[in-house]
Amino acid sequence: MSLARTARLSRGVTHATGAIVSIVLLIWTLLPIYNIIRVSMQAKEEVLSTSVVPLEPTLIAFQTVYNQSYWLLKSFWRQMGNSFYIGVTVALLTLTIGTLTSFVIGRMRIRSGWMLTNAALLTYTIPMSFLAIPFYSIMGKYGLTNNPIAVIAVEVTFATPYAIFIFQQYGASIPMELDEAARIDGASPPQIFFRVYLPLMAPALVAIGTYALLLSWNEYLYAFLLLSGGNVVTVPVALGKFLAGDEAPWNLLMAAAIIYAIPPLIIYYAFRRKMTGGLTMGGVKG
Amino acid sequence: MTRITRRHAMAGLGAAGSVALARPNLARAASGEVNVWWSQGFYEQENKAIINAMADWEKRTGTKVNLSFMTDPDMITKLIAGMQTGDVPDLVHCVTADRFLVPRAAWNDQLEDLTDVLDTQKAELVPTAIKACRYYNAKLKKYSNYSVPIKCSTLMNNVWRPLVQEAGFSDADIPKTQDAYYDFFQTVQDKLRAKGKRIFGLGYSMATKEADSGNLFAAFLLAYGGEAVVLPDGKLNIDDPGVRKAAAKALDRLTTPYKKGYVPPGAINWGDVDNNNAFYAKQVVMTPNATISIAVAQSDKTEQYYKEMITHGRPLGNDGKPLLGVLAVSPCLIPKGAKNLDGGKALLRDFIRPESLNSYLKETRARYLPVMMKNIKEDPFWTDPADPHRPVAVQAGLIQPTIPNWMNHNPAYAQVLSEQVWIQAEANITQKNMSIDQALDEVAARMKSIFEKFQIG
């Protein structure tokens, strides 16, 4: 066998192996998503069948969710609104606190500001779930249990350290000369913040805003712990109630999950380019 | 323009913090309001029934009730958190609290003693339901009543009549005694498989999670004489030869059919809902379940409810005598620290009046049984011979002999259940090919270790 032929064979084997691994990974990744879609398009009686495709595909489950015509979905759109309210508020508060903090530490050069950044990041060494009871206690003391503000406060607490870190790293790439020029022109710190700092931080703002929104959008532990009534809970908590009964309507559960996943998907794809730029910015600081 | 300095920023932050810390506790319920947490229903009628009952009480007393529905696991997590922090509701009904919350909370003196409430209906309550409210308080070193029974259930067996008939049998062919009864469904499977149908005879729950698998094991343990696994004085009795023999037989009778392929392989991962779904999908000919919910959930499908689904109570013992069953009692409780204790107790006292409880249970479509014989005797609804399921459940739960679960003797057994010690033994036998003796040795060692931490007296 000639060398060229051996090399061709070797390349072929490499490509084939790569293709096989890729196909396996693709199936592995997409199978759960396919299953969610499959179940959502099956009738209740068909869900447990062994067929890999819906025998009689139907959108009735989506219609039921849309019309809130199943008893556990009676408040679906309201709960969706709760998720939006919490998610958007968390995003806005995280951006506000993160940008102000990074501005004060990075641009106003507050003394020992690095300690604040490091202390904030240190909170990530404690898993979120470990702080559930202390948070529950604090919110109880301040009368915030069963109030969305409690979940917002918790999520903002967990999102801001990362936000401060990213904003500081990103802010370091903005020349200080711009601030100095503005100051010479008579700009006050708030004016520098709003007119110079924030516009230049746009990519990082998009990235962190999306991150904070998704963090609270998918939150379950704190949402169920701190919220109780059917009108204040978020969609993940409401969907958890599907599994309490003796006959879980899996098709409705999957349809509701798909509808709930649409807004984050839209947000992700709408801002994908800017988000990637913002998230990687922290890693290229010289 | 005023220049904002670092000092201004710091002062602002400090002021905001002070305001936050000084904020009065808004959680204090307005006087007269009662905060109630209730187990999420399995179907809509269960929620509606309690909403109506609470609305009725509000109307009669003028006291507002803040009612929240939660799944049991979520509620237990929240209650454990709340009892540590002092932020708890005034009344709780949690179906699985009898095993997963009350024993430990009573031990830790975290629950109100509800003897005064229980006493108002003591004459009406079935004896096992009263015993099921009795738990040990380690701080006070005594047993007392830390819950009030609302409804009860015992393990039932659900069977598809059309599948039995398809295998060439009739109802009359189904044996009445323990071993023969369950073996029969293996024969049914063989016959159906011979016709090319991939159906399993037995829908045993065998997962190390949730409650169904533990309920099934308890029924088998009792069927073979393991009643004395924990003695009434709270002592563990796992080394007793009779108990060990019963446990070994129970493990053998549950795991052998699985290993032989008479139980769906996925049963080792089934949650409480999954055996129901497997039954509805006719993947199994029969499945044991904690209540008659499998049939009740289909009560609007007349053909299925009246003709196709059969409900059996527990079989007779192999000697032909009635078997003991565990009566699971779903409790109401009041955590210590409830801000409106009087309101919670008043509501509970009113709710457990026989007519009130009866009306509530009927409105829930009667998945559970009443805890009062008065309801059974005075309301023909419960014994209506036209209903193929409810009178069978009444017979098994309220007429035949029952005992409370063993955590009423010692809360250690609640930990045995939550750790799924018995079901882990089943898994060791089916998944790791461990011998029954080895698996039992592990069970005994773990149970002894758990009971060491819960010394009564």
Side-chain angles (χ1 to χ4, degrees), chain B residues 50-87:
Chain B
I50 194 62
I51 290 169
N52 293 341
M54 294 297 139
D56 176 57
W57 194 72
E58 277 184 338
K59 202 171 157 189
R60 283 188 285 117
T61 63
T63 307
K64 183 168 170 45
V65 176
N66 300 314
L67 178 64
S68 298
F69 291 104
M70 283 166 240
T71 63
D72 277 18
D74 283 3
M75 196 195 299
I76 288 171
T77 307
K78 284 182 78 147
L79 278 171
I80 290 170
M83 287 190 297
Q84 287 185 27
T85 61
D87 188 19

Coordinates of all heavy atoms in Angstrom, one line a residue, chain B residues 50-87:
Chain B
I50 N -61.8 22.6 48.8 CA -61.3 23.3 50.0 C -61.5 24.8 49.8 O -61.7 25.5 50.8 CB -59.8 22.9 50.2 CG1 -59.4 23.4 51.6 CG2 -58.9 23.4 49.2 CD1 -60.2 22.8 52.8
I51 N -61.4 25.3 48.6 CA -61.7 26.7 48.3 C -63.2 27.0 48.8 O -63.4 28.0 49.5 CB -61.6 27.1 46.8 CG1 -60.1 27.0 46.4 CG2 -62.2 28.5 46.5 CD1 -59.8 27.1 44.9
N52 N -64.1 26.1 48.5 CA -65.5 26.3 48.9 C -65.6 26.3 50.4 O -66.3 27.0 51.0 CB -66.4 25.3 48.2 CG -66.5 25.5 46.7 OD1 -66.2 26.6 46.2 ND2 -66.9 24.5 46.0
A53 N -64.9 25.3 51.0 CA -65.0 25.1 52.5 C -64.5 26.4 53.2 O -65.1 26.8 54.1 CB -64.3 23.9 52.9
M54 N -63.4 26.9 52.7 CA -62.8 28.1 53.3 C -63.7 29.3 53.1 O -63.9 30.1 54.0 CB -61.4 28.3 52.7 CG -60.4 27.3 53.1 SD -60.1 27.1 54.9 CE -60.0 25.4 55.1
A55 N -64.3 29.4 51.9 CA -65.2 30.5 51.6 C -66.4 30.5 52.5 O -66.8 31.5 53.0 CB -65.6 30.5 50.1
D56 N -66.9 29.3 52.8 CA -68.0 29.1 53.6 C -67.7 29.6 55.1 O -68.5 30.3 55.7 CB -68.4 27.6 53.6 CG -69.6 27.4 54.6 OD1 -70.6 28.0 54.5 OD2 -69.4 26.5 55.5
W57 N -66.5 29.2 55.5 CA -66.1 29.6 56.9 C -65.9 31.1 57.0 O -66.3 31.7 57.9 CB -64.8 28.9 57.2 CG -64.5 29.0 58.7 CD1 -65.1 28.3 59.7 CD2 -63.4 29.7 59.3 NE1 -64.5 28.7 60.9 CE2 -63.5 29.5 60.7 CE3 -62.4 30.6 58.8 CZ2 -62.6 30.1 61.6 CZ3 -61.5 31.2 59.7 CH2 -61.7 30.9 61.1
E58 N -65.3 31.7 55.9 CA -65.1 33.1 55.9 C -66.5 33.8 56.0 O -66.6 34.8 56.8 CB -64.5 33.6 54.5 CG -63.0 33.4 54.5 CD -62.4 34.0 53.2 OE1 -63.2 34.0 52.2 OE2 -61.3 34.3 53.1
K59 N -67.5 33.3 55.3 CA -68.8 33.9 55.3 C -69.5 33.8 56.7 O -70.1 34.7 57.1 CB -69.7 33.1 54.2 CG -70.8 33.9 53.7 CD -71.4 33.1 52.6 CE -72.9 33.5 52.4 NZ -73.6 32.7 51.4
R60 N -69.3 32.6 57.3 CA -69.9 32.4 58.6 C -69.2 33.2 59.7 O -69.9 33.6 60.7 CB -69.9 30.9 58.9 CG -71.0 30.2 58.1 CD -71.2 28.7 58.6 NE -70.1 27.9 58.1 CZ -69.2 27.3 58.9 NH1 -69.3 27.4 60.2 NH2 -68.3 26.5 58.4
T61 N -67.9 33.4 59.6 CA -67.2 34.0 60.8 C -66.7 35.4 60.5 O -66.3 36.1 61.4 CB -66.0 33.1 61.1 OG1 -65.1 33.1 60.0 CG2 -66.4 31.7 61.5
G62 N -66.7 35.8 59.2 CA -66.1 37.1 58.9 C -64.6 37.1 59.0 O -64.0 38.2 58.9
T63 N -64.0 36.0 59.1 CA -62.5 35.9 59.2 C -62.0 35.6 57.8 O -62.4 34.6 57.2 CB -62.1 34.8 60.2 OG1 -62.7 35.1 61.4 CG2 -60.6 34.9 60.4
K64 N -61.0 36.4 57.4 CA -60.5 36.1 56.1 C -59.5 35.0 56.1 O -58.7 34.8 57.0 CB -59.8 37.4 55.6 CG -59.2 37.3 54.2 CD -58.8 38.6 53.6 CE -58.0 38.4 52.3 NZ -58.6 37.5 51.3
V65 N -59.6 34.1 55.1 CA -58.6 33.0 54.9 C -57.7 33.2 53.7 O -58.2 33.5 52.6 CB -59.3 31.7 54.8 CG1 -58.3 30.5 54.5 CG2 -60.2 31.4 56.0
N66 N -56.4 33.2 53.9 CA -55.5 33.3 52.8 C -55.0 31.9 52.5 O -54.2 31.4 53.2 CB -54.3 34.2 53.2 CG -54.7 35.6 53.5 OD1 -55.5 36.2 52.8 ND2 -54.2 36.1 54.6
L67 N -55.6 31.4 51.4 CA -55.3 30.0 51.1 C -54.3 29.8 50.0 O -54.4 30.5 48.9 CB -56.7 29.3 50.7 CG -56.7 27.9 50.2 CD1 -56.3 27.0 51.4 CD2 -58.1 27.5 49.7
S68 N -53.3 29.0 50.2 CA -52.2 28.8 49.2 C -52.1 27.3 48.9 O -52.1 26.5 49.9 CB -50.9 29.3 49.6 OG -50.9 30.7 49.8
F69 N -52.1 26.9 47.6 CA -51.9 25.5 47.3 C -50.4 25.3 46.9 O -49.8 26.1 46.2 CB -52.8 25.1 46.1 CG -54.2 25.1 46.4 CD1 -55.1 26.2 46.0 CD2 -54.8 24.1 47.2 CE1 -56.4 26.2 46.4 CE2 -56.1 24.1 47.5 CZ -57.0 25.1 47.1
M70 N -49.9 24.2 47.3 CA -48.5 23.8 47.0 C -48.4 22.3 46.8 O -49.2 21.6 47.4 CB -47.6 24.2 48.1 CG -47.2 25.6 48.2 SD -46.5 26.0 49.7 CE -47.6 27.2 50.4
T71 N -47.4 21.9 46.1 CA -47.2 20.4 46.0 C -46.6 20.0 47.4 O -45.9 20.9 48.0 CB -46.2 20.1 44.9 OG1 -44.9 20.7 45.2 CG2 -46.7 20.5 43.5
D72 N -46.7 18.8 47.7 CA -46.2 18.4 49.0 C -44.7 18.6 49.2 O -44.3 19.1 50.3 CB -46.6 16.9 49.3 CG -48.0 16.7 49.8 OD1 -48.8 17.7 49.6 OD2 -48.3 15.7 50.3
P73 N -43.9 18.2 48.3 CA -42.4 18.4 48.5 C -42.1 19.9 48.7 O -41.3 20.2 49.6 CB -41.8 17.8 47.2 CG -42.8 16.9 46.7 CD -44.1 17.5 47.0
D74 N -42.7 20.8 47.9 CA -42.4 22.2 48.0 C -42.9 22.7 49.4 O -42.2 23.5 50.0 CB -43.2 23.0 46.9 CG -42.5 22.9 45.6 OD1 -41.5 22.2 45.5 OD2 -43.0 23.5 44.6
M75 N -44.1 22.2 49.8 CA -44.6 22.7 51.1 C -43.8 22.3 52.2 O -43.5 23.0 53.1 CB -46.1 22.2 51.3 CG -46.8 23.0 52.3 SD -48.3 22.2 52.9 CE -49.3 22.1 51.5
I76 N -43.3 21.0 52.2 CA -42.5 20.5 53.3 C -41.2 21.3 53.3 O -40.7 21.7 54.4 CB -42.2 19.0 53.1 CG1 -43.5 18.3 53.4 CG2 -41.1 18.5 54.0 CD1 -43.5 16.8 53.1
T77 N -40.6 21.6 52.2 CA -39.3 22.4 52.2 C -39.6 23.8 52.8 O -38.8 24.3 53.6 CB -38.8 22.6 50.7 OG1 -38.7 21.3 50.1 CG2 -37.5 23.3 50.7
K78 N -40.7 24.4 52.4 CA -41.0 25.7 52.9 C -41.3 25.7 54.4 O -41.0 26.6 55.1 CB -42.2 26.3 52.1 CG -41.9 26.8 50.7 CD -43.1 27.4 50.0 CE -43.4 28.8 50.5 NZ -43.9 29.6 49.5
L79 N -42.0 24.6 54.8 CA -42.3 24.6 56.2 C -41.1 24.4 57.1 O -40.9 25.0 58.1 CB -43.3 23.4 56.5 CG -44.8 23.7 56.2 CD1 -45.6 22.4 56.3 CD2 -45.3 24.7 57.2
I80 N -40.1 23.6 56.6 CA -38.9 23.3 57.3 C -38.2 24.7 57.4 O -37.7 25.1 58.5 CB -38.0 22.3 56.7 CG1 -38.7 20.9 56.9 CG2 -36.6 22.2 57.2 CD1 -38.1 19.8 56.0
A81 N -38.1 25.4 56.3 CA -37.5 26.7 56.3 C -38.2 27.7 57.3 O -37.6 28.4 58.1 CB -37.4 27.3 54.9
G82 N -39.5 27.6 57.2 CA -40.4 28.6 58.0 C -40.2 28.3 59.5 O -40.2 29.2 60.3
M83 N -40.2 27.0 59.8 CA -40.1 26.6 61.2 C -38.7 27.1 61.8 O -38.6 27.3 63.0 CB -40.3 25.1 61.4 CG -41.8 24.8 61.2 SD -42.3 23.1 61.7 CE -41.3 22.1 60.6
Q84 N -37.7 27.2 61.0 CA -36.4 27.6 61.5 C -36.4 29.1 61.6 O -35.7 29.7 62.4 CB -35.3 27.2 60.5 CG -35.1 25.7 60.6 CD -33.9 25.3 59.8 OE1 -33.0 26.0 59.5 NE2 -33.9 24.0 59.4
T85 N -37.2 29.8 60.8 CA -37.1 31.3 60.8 C -38.3 31.9 61.5 O -38.3 33.1 61.7 CB -37.1 31.8 59.4 OG1 -38.3 31.4 58.7 CG2 -35.9 31.2 58.6
G86 N -39.3 31.1 61.8 CA -40.5 31.7 62.5 C -41.6 32.2 61.6 O -42.5 32.8 62.1
D87 N -41.4 32.1 60.3 CA -42.4 32.6 59.4 C -43.3 31.4 58.9 O -42.9 30.8 57.9 CB -41.7 33.3 58.2 CG -42.7 34.1 57.4 OD1 -43.8 34.3 57.8 OD2 -42.4 34.4 56.2

